[in-house]
Amino acid sequence: MSGKMSVTKFTHTGDLFLKKYNVAIAGATGAVGVEFIKLLQERDFPLGSLKLLASHRSAGKTMDFKGEKLVVEELTESSFEGIDIAFFSAGGGRSKEYANAAVKSGALVIDNSSAFRMDPGVPLVVPEVNPEDIEWNKGIIANPNCSTIILLMAVTPLIRLQKVKRIIVSTYQAASGAGAAAMQELIDQSRQVLDGEEATKNSFPHQIAFNLFSHNTTIADDGYNEEERKMIFESRKILHDDALMISATCVRVPVLRAHSESVNIEFDGERPTLDAIRSALAAFPNVRLVDDRVANYFPMPLDASGIDETLVGRIRYDLSNPNAIDLFVCGDQILKGAALNGYQIAEEWIRQQSAFV
Ligand code: A2P
């Protein structure tokens, strides 16, 4: 089938939203971009048109959307004319280069990169945690780091029970955080190792198959890597708590697309009971309790893959600290850690806009 124009009009049958929104995805061919396309295809989004943008390498390729073939276009400054919402997931460099052009064209930019996250003029949002920050955007809303989102999905319901003083988190991060090519590298290396061949390294500095290593981001003078610093500073910004003490150790593991985190949470004062903690987690939107001690069944990255919910379990009192608890959390890095959170930001923004009409 030959390709059509990439801007195609779609009819939304639901009556929740009257206005329809023209959407662009910058980085449409990437791991997160593909998931944005799926979300727009499968969910009840008031879509007017969809424009797919990627590098010149992908320009002219077609991608399926609701039975149509959409042609991918090269991302340029003039890509955003007539666009209402632009999802950016093409790396920080592209966000820095093109996000302002999109804003000038009148689009709301929802940026999945780290380019603007710590900019005090840009809201950093997890819709279940701080939807109110969407309101003061000036054209760009930043989607937080994937490990930060997954951490805050588990910690926020507990903060609402009792103020938290200190968090110590260790991550077990999937290959997907480094993009589609890195996921393929894990598969290819696994085959190579099983075939007795040497593992080919492109996306990662070390062999990822049958191995794990400290997160592949730059190490700062203080010894923390970039991912760990993101978890610390982004969490404080999202929670509006600059005093929150938080330390992180981020590790890459041979898992395809869901991150896991071991979290120690110290409350400011007496810790809530385990029953209260379980109830708060179970009642929090998009969190699912997986905490079966009898069956020894707890959150696993395979169970968390491809679903919206963040899984939380292994909830127990910390025996070394009377004010602390431990838990384990798993969340899909591409969905809640990236595309789904961005999509929810768009939905929440639309809801807030509609409230002003
Ligand atoms: P392309 O597929 O054409 O390289 P991932 O995070 O899975 O690695 O995906 C990165 C996304 O960012 C892809 O869609 C990729 O497009 C896109 N991208 C990378 N470099 C550029 C660029 N210079 N201009 C526009 N899009 C880019």
Side-chain angles (χ1 to χ4, degrees), residues 26-33 53-59 61 72 74-75 89-91 94 97-98 176-182:
T29 51
V32 175
L53 302 165
S55 78
H56 64 93
R57 294 178 294 273
S58 303
K61 277 188 192 163
V72 177
E74 182 177 357
L75 171 64
S89 189
R94 261 64 62 198
E97 204 174 340
Y98 298 108
S176 56

Side-chain angles (χ1 to χ4, degrees), residues 197-239:
E197 294 167 17
E198 195 169 327
T200 311
K201 289 175 287 202
N202 287 313
S203 296
F204 290 122
H206 310 290
Q207 181 179 318
I208 183 72
F210 304 99
N211 192 24
L212 56 82
F213 46 84
S214 181
H215 196 277
N216 48 300
T217 41
T218 317
I219 310 279
D221 288 343
D222 57 15
Y224 282 85
N225 63 42
E226 232 176 81
E227 185 81 356
E228 291 158 355
R229 296 175 66 82
K230 285 176 189 171
M231 290 192 81
I232 295 166
F233 296 110
E234 291 183 22
S235 295
R236 289 179 182 156
K237 177 171 176 176
I238 297 163
L239 295 169

Side-chain angles (χ1 to χ4, degrees), residues 160-220:
R160 291 179 186 171
L161 280 181
Q162 167 74 29
K163 189 172 163 46
V164 164
K165 191 164 131 189
R166 185 172 187 223
I167 297 169
I168 300 169
V169 54
S170 301
T171 69
Y172 309 69
Q173 296 187 219
S176 56
M183 295 171 81
Q184 193 56 47
E185 183 157 310
L186 169 56
I187 294 166
D188 292 344
Q189 283 188 359
S190 301
R191 278 210 188 92
Q192 288 172 323
V193 173
L194 290 173
D195 289 345
E197 294 167 17
E198 195 169 327
T200 311
K201 289 175 287 202
N202 287 313
S203 296
F204 290 122
H206 310 290
Q207 181 179 318
I208 183 72
F210 304 99
N211 192 24
L212 56 82
F213 46 84
S214 181
H215 196 277
N216 48 300
T217 41
T218 317
I219 310 279

